[in-house]
Amino acid sequence: MRIIVQKFGGTSLSTSQAKERVIQHIKRERDNGYAVVVVVSAIGRRGEPYATDTLLDQLQPYGDYIDLKERDMLLSCGEIISATLIGAQIRAAGIPAVVLSGAEAGIETDDDFGSAKITAITPERIIQHLNKGKVVVVTGFQGKTKQGAVTTLGRGGSDTSATALGAALHAEIVDIYTDVNGVLTADPKLVSDAKPISKVSYAEICHMAREGAKVVHPRAVEIAQQARIPVRVRSTFSDDEGTLVQDATWEHNEHAVLDRHVTGIAYALGITQLHVSGTDKQLHDPQLIFETLAQHDISVDFINVSASHSLFTVQAQQDQLAYTLLTERELAVTLNRECAKISIIGGGMNGQPGVMARIVAALTKEGIAILQSADSNAAIWVLVKEEQMAKALTSLHSTFDLNR
């Protein structure tokens, strides 16, 4: 049996026109010979009645009285509503279908309510229905503990449900449907000549997702990579195949010829750079610095440590707390607020000389200072001021011929 998993996000289910497109995608894959499993998110976004954030907002007035287990019971309602409605619409279109909750689909998790991790999937019930020719609609974002309590999987949970089910069912492919036609080389709101990307590696899409290109959750991609299942990021409103995510075999082939080494550019805002050094009363002590921040759940990035100082970044909403904690330890702290992290991403950069030189040349030409930099096998990151970010994105996009 050839199985395909189709995941539809909230915007794909928010209007009658969108839901009709969902039905068309299901029909097409059935006509192509696939047994179809559909995973759905809650309908719409914050402000719409059944969106996850709207449900979460209902609890905010109760503060410390919120029980995490009961909160997950509430948050799971959005997917139950959307699955029930789309299941009925599928049957109305003449296609046999059945709706299963995450628990009924065999998704078992730990008991970390609000951010549960999938520990096992027993998909026998899904397979039984597929063997009867039914489309199986599964509520995304949720599962159950061994004790039967409802859990939710945290941000991107429906993407995670889809790829985890794809792995458990040995699906041929997982399609993630959104309101954009795949992954673009850059944010089109900031880079006018951003282009669609036809194919990326798992590593590249994970970098893009973590650094701002939020079309698929990195946790979902990691599950697909482990199971070696291709993922397509597609638009609900188009029949185009979007962006294919799969193993980049050329990464392991030293004779492969690449016409470009950079695949895309992403960014993150709201970052503060900290310069921390010793004083007459307290020597520069990196262990003291990072243990202090860790004890208060402050995550750090862009870390450079030398004998005289430490340089790193934190999220802007935590910079005042970080400043206070470190100055209380009698360390000298300087804040550089309103910074942006730009990610130049591409599996083909690994081992290629001259990439950083081109980045520096492009930004220098535009008068943009690089405040810090870091790199990995598939990405180079540079820190710049927020006010220069848009110019930096456009310059780098052109430098690496991503507009072709």
Side-chain angles (χ1 to χ4, degrees):
M1 180 166 51
R2 300 173 63 210
I3 297 174
I4 187 171
V5 177
Q6 299 177 312
K7 179 264 175 176
F8 295 97
T11 55
S12 301
L13 304 164
S14 58
T15 67
S16 56
Q17 179 186 10
K19 285 187 282 190
E20 184 54 41
R21 289 293 302 165
V22 169
I23 302 301
Q24 291 173 20
H25 290 303
I26 293 169
K27 283 183 175 178
R28 183 191 63 244
E29 300 306 345
R30 280 172 60 86
D31 290 343
N32 288 337
Y34 283 107
V36 179
V37 176
V38 174
V39 176
V40 295
S41 299
I43 298 172
R45 293 176 176 165
R46 173 173 268 125
E48 298 182 69
Y50 308 123
T52 300
D53 284 331
T54 303
L55 295 173
L56 189 59
D57 289 342
Q58 301 280 341
L59 285 175
Q60 292 309 309
Y62 302 103
D64 295 337
Y65 298 99
I66 299 171
D67 181 271
L68 297 181
K69 176 176 174 292
E70 294 170 7
R71 183 182 67 178
D72 272 9
M73 290 173 64
L74 173 66
L75 296 185
S76 68
C77 293
E79 281 70 24
I80 291 172
I81 292 168
S82 58
T84 302
L85 293 175
I86 201 66
Q89 188 163 351
I90 293 169
R91 288 191 292 270
I95 302 170
V98 63
V99 174
L100 302 178
S101 68
E104 291 173 324
I107 300 175
E108 188 172 295
T109 75
D110 60 21
D111 59 0
D112 183 11
F113 295 103
S115 188
K117 302 295 186 294
I118 296 173
T119 56
I121 297 182
T122 52
E124 283 77 12
R125 186 177 295 188
I126 295 175
I127 294 169
Q128 289 172 7
H129 288 298
L130 292 177
N131 283 330
K132 295 176 183 178
K134 295 180 181 180
V135 170
V136 180
V137 181
V138 179
T139 54
F141 180 60
Q142 62 179 250
K144 67 168 183 177
T145 66
K146 285 185 176 180
Q147 292 72 36
V150 174
T151 56
T152 64
L153 306 181
R155 292 295 174 184
S158 292
D159 289 351
T160 303
S161 299
T163 55
L165 284 169
L169 293 164
H170 305 290
E172 282 193 17
I173 197 162
V174 175
D175 281 343
I176 306 291
Y177 286 91
T178 71
D179 54 359
V180 296
N181 193 21
V183 182
L184 301 181
T185 53
D187 185 344
K189 296 176 184 176
L190 297 175
V191 180
S192 59
D193 54 359
K195 303 293 184 184
I197 304 172
S198 61
K199 188 180 296 185
V200 296
S201 70
Y202 295 115
E204 288 170 329
I205 197 68
C206 278
H207 277 298
M208 290 178 181
R210 290 192 183 100
E211 307 302 340
K214 298 175 181 178
V215 290
V216 60
H217 199 277
R219 184 169 152 204
V221 177
E222 287 162 2
I223 292 171
Q225 181 177 17
Q226 290 167 8
R228 306 186 82 82
I229 295 175
V231 175
R232 285 182 298 205
V233 181
R234 310 180 64 172
S235 170
T236 303
F237 307 97
S238 168
D239 287 325
D240 291 347
E241 294 198 356
T243 301
L244 176 65
V245 185
Q246 63 178 6
D247 271 323
T249 54
W250 47 263
E251 288 184 346
H252 311 292
N253 180 0
E254 62 181 349
H255 302 296
V257 177
L258 302 176
D259 61 357
R260 66 173 58 160
H261 303 303
V262 173
T263 301
I265 300 173
Y267 67 92
L269 299 172
I271 294 170
T272 298
Q273 183 188 50
L274 283 80
H275 181 285
V276 185
S277 59
T279 62
D280 292 339
K281 296 182 178 181
Q282 171 66 50
L283 294 174
H284 171 243
D285 184 347
Q287 182 176 347
L288 173 65
I289 293 168
F290 296 113
E291 283 184 352
T292 298
L293 298 176
Q295 288 165 4
H296 291 82
D297 295 322
I298 298 176
S299 179
V300 298
D301 193 12
F302 262 131
I303 305 165
N304 297 119
V305 177
S306 71
S308 61
H309 68 272
S310 294
L311 194 64
F312 55 91
T313 63
V314 301
Q315 293 298 304
Q317 59 266 31
Q318 293 186 305
D319 64 15
Q320 189 58 50
L321 175 59
Y323 179 86
T324 301
L325 292 169
L326 295 175
T327 54
E328 285 176 349
R329 270 72 172 170
E330 300 184 325
L331 292 159
V333 184
T334 302
L335 299 181
N336 184 8
R337 291 189 166 104
E338 298 182 350
C339 297
K341 178 182 181 181
I342 296 178
S343 307
I344 301 94
I345 299 159
M349 293 192 300
N350 188 24
Q352 293 295 325
V355 176
M356 189 63 188
R358 294 174 69 184
I359 292 171
V360 172
L363 297 183
T364 300
K365 182 179 179 181
E366 298 293 337
I368 299 170
I370 298 175
L371 306 175
Q372 270 182 273
S373 67
D375 68 279
S376 72
N377 285 341
I380 294 175
W381 300 278
V382 293
L383 190 72
V384 302
K385 294 297 289 183
E386 275 190 12
E387 63 192 25
Q388 297 180 307
M389 184 197 69
K391 185 188 292 186
L393 289 173
T394 300
S395 175
L396 292 168
H397 195 265
S398 175
T399 293
F400 290 102
D401 298 322
L402 298 179
N403 51 358
R404 290 196 291 116

mmCIF file of all heavy atoms in Angstrom, residues 9-11 13-14 42-46 48 50-52:
data_model
loop_
_atom_site.group_PDB
_atom_site.id
_atom_site.type_symbol
_atom_site.label_atom_id
_atom_site.label_comp_id
_atom_site.label_asym_id
_atom_site.label_seq_id
_atom_site.Cartn_x
_atom_site.Cartn_y
_atom_site.Cartn_z
ATOM 1 N N GLY A 9 -2.642 23.233 7.500
ATOM 2 C CA GLY A 9 -2.583 24.200 8.594
ATOM 3 C C GLY A 9 -3.879 24.969 8.755
ATOM 4 O O GLY A 9 -4.843 24.794 8.001
ATOM 5 N N GLY A 10 -3.879 25.859 9.742
ATOM 6 C CA GLY A 10 -5.098 26.585 10.086
ATOM 7 C C GLY A 10 -5.674 27.425 8.972
ATOM 8 O O GLY A 10 -6.896 27.485 8.788
ATOM 9 N N THR A 11 -4.804 28.091 8.182
ATOM 10 C CA THR A 11 -5.317 28.924 7.094
ATOM 11 C C THR A 11 -5.887 28.074 5.961
ATOM 12 O O THR A 11 -6.714 28.554 5.181
ATOM 13 C CB THR A 11 -4.206 29.830 6.531
ATOM 14 O OG1 THR A 11 -3.090 29.030 6.127
ATOM 15 C CG2 THR A 11 -3.742 30.833 7.576
ATOM 16 N N LEU A 13 -7.882 25.739 6.356
ATOM 17 C CA LEU A 13 -9.194 25.250 6.788
ATOM 18 C C LEU A 13 -10.128 26.381 7.193
ATOM 19 O O LEU A 13 -11.224 26.141 7.684
ATOM 20 C CB LEU A 13 -9.017 24.305 7.991
ATOM 21 C CG LEU A 13 -8.076 23.121 7.775
ATOM 22 C CD1 LEU A 13 -7.675 22.510 9.116
ATOM 23 C CD2 LEU A 13 -8.717 22.072 6.894
ATOM 24 N N SER A 14 -9.704 27.635 6.939
ATOM 25 C CA SER A 14 -10.418 28.769 7.518
ATOM 26 C C SER A 14 -11.557 29.301 6.663
ATOM 27 O O SER A 14 -12.390 30.065 7.158
ATOM 28 C CB SER A 14 -9.427 29.907 7.813
ATOM 29 O OG SER A 14 -8.752 30.291 6.630
ATOM 30 N N ALA A 42 -5.718 23.332 14.135
ATOM 31 C CA ALA A 42 -6.923 24.080 14.491
ATOM 32 C C ALA A 42 -7.194 25.128 13.413
ATOM 33 O O ALA A 42 -6.288 25.564 12.692
ATOM 34 C CB ALA A 42 -6.749 24.741 15.852
ATOM 35 N N ILE A 43 -8.439 25.538 13.308
ATOM 36 C CA ILE A 43 -8.856 26.463 12.255
ATOM 37 C C ILE A 43 -8.416 27.881 12.589
ATOM 38 O O ILE A 43 -8.677 28.399 13.678
ATOM 39 C CB ILE A 43 -10.380 26.427 12.078
ATOM 40 C CG1 ILE A 43 -10.837 25.028 11.646
ATOM 41 C CG2 ILE A 43 -10.835 27.473 11.052
ATOM 42 C CD1 ILE A 43 -12.328 24.841 11.641
ATOM 43 N N GLY A 44 -7.752 28.526 11.619
ATOM 44 C CA GLY A 44 -7.449 29.948 11.725
ATOM 45 C C GLY A 44 -6.309 30.282 12.661
ATOM 46 O O GLY A 44 -5.545 29.428 13.117
ATOM 47 N N ARG A 45 -6.227 31.589 12.949
ATOM 48 C CA ARG A 45 -5.177 32.126 13.808
ATOM 49 C C ARG A 45 -5.795 32.936 14.933
ATOM 50 O O ARG A 45 -7.008 33.097 14.992
ATOM 51 C CB ARG A 45 -4.213 32.976 12.977
ATOM 52 C CG ARG A 45 -3.406 32.120 11.977
ATOM 53 C CD ARG A 45 -2.528 32.957 11.082
ATOM 54 N NE ARG A 45 -1.706 32.098 10.217
ATOM 55 C CZ ARG A 45 -1.059 32.528 9.146
ATOM 56 N NH1 ARG A 45 -1.140 33.805 8.778
ATOM 57 N NH2 ARG A 45 -0.330 31.703 8.431
ATOM 58 N N ARG A 46 -4.933 33.447 15.817
ATOM 59 C CA ARG A 46 -5.419 34.168 17.004
ATOM 60 C C ARG A 46 -6.525 35.152 16.644
ATOM 61 O O ARG A 46 -6.421 35.911 15.682
ATOM 62 C CB ARG A 46 -4.264 34.909 17.675
ATOM 63 C CG ARG A 46 -4.712 35.805 18.814
ATOM 64 C CD ARG A 46 -3.572 36.414 19.594
ATOM 65 N NE ARG A 46 -3.231 35.571 20.738
ATOM 66 C CZ ARG A 46 -2.037 35.098 20.968
ATOM 67 N NH1 ARG A 46 -1.047 35.333 20.129
ATOM 68 N NH2 ARG A 46 -1.805 34.346 22.039
ATOM 69 N N GLU A 48 -9.610 34.171 15.832
ATOM 70 C CA GLU A 48 -10.674 33.321 15.318
ATOM 71 C C GLU A 48 -11.052 32.314 16.411
ATOM 72 O O GLU A 48 -10.196 31.860 17.175
ATOM 73 C CB GLU A 48 -10.217 32.635 14.035
ATOM 74 C CG GLU A 48 -9.913 33.653 12.937
ATOM 75 C CD GLU A 48 -9.493 33.005 11.625
ATOM 76 O OE1 GLU A 48 -10.343 32.374 10.978
ATOM 77 O OE2 GLU A 48 -8.304 33.138 11.273
ATOM 78 N N TYR A 50 -11.729 29.189 17.118
ATOM 79 C CA TYR A 50 -11.213 27.859 17.443
ATOM 80 C C TYR A 50 -9.702 27.747 17.300
ATOM 81 O O TYR A 50 -9.145 26.659 17.437
ATOM 82 C CB TYR A 50 -11.892 26.811 16.553
ATOM 83 C CG TYR A 50 -13.402 26.894 16.589
ATOM 84 C CD1 TYR A 50 -14.143 27.079 15.429
ATOM 85 C CD2 TYR A 50 -14.082 26.815 17.797
ATOM 86 C CE1 TYR A 50 -15.531 27.184 15.462
ATOM 87 C CE2 TYR A 50 -15.465 26.908 17.850
ATOM 88 C CZ TYR A 50 -16.186 27.099 16.677
ATOM 89 O OH TYR A 50 -17.545 27.197 16.728
ATOM 90 N N ALA A 51 -9.021 28.856 17.028
ATOM 91 C CA ALA A 51 -7.564 28.836 16.908
ATOM 92 C C ALA A 51 -6.928 28.517 18.258
ATOM 93 O O ALA A 51 -7.452 28.883 19.319
ATOM 94 C CB ALA A 51 -7.054 30.177 16.384
ATOM 95 N N THR A 52 -5.783 27.859 18.233
ATOM 96 C CA THR A 52 -5.111 27.454 19.476
ATOM 97 C C THR A 52 -4.798 28.662 20.359
ATOM 98 O O THR A 52 -5.037 28.637 21.576
ATOM 99 C CB THR A 52 -3.816 26.689 19.148
ATOM 100 O OG1 THR A 52 -4.152 25.530 18.376
ATOM 101 C CG2 THR A 52 -3.112 26.248 20.416
#
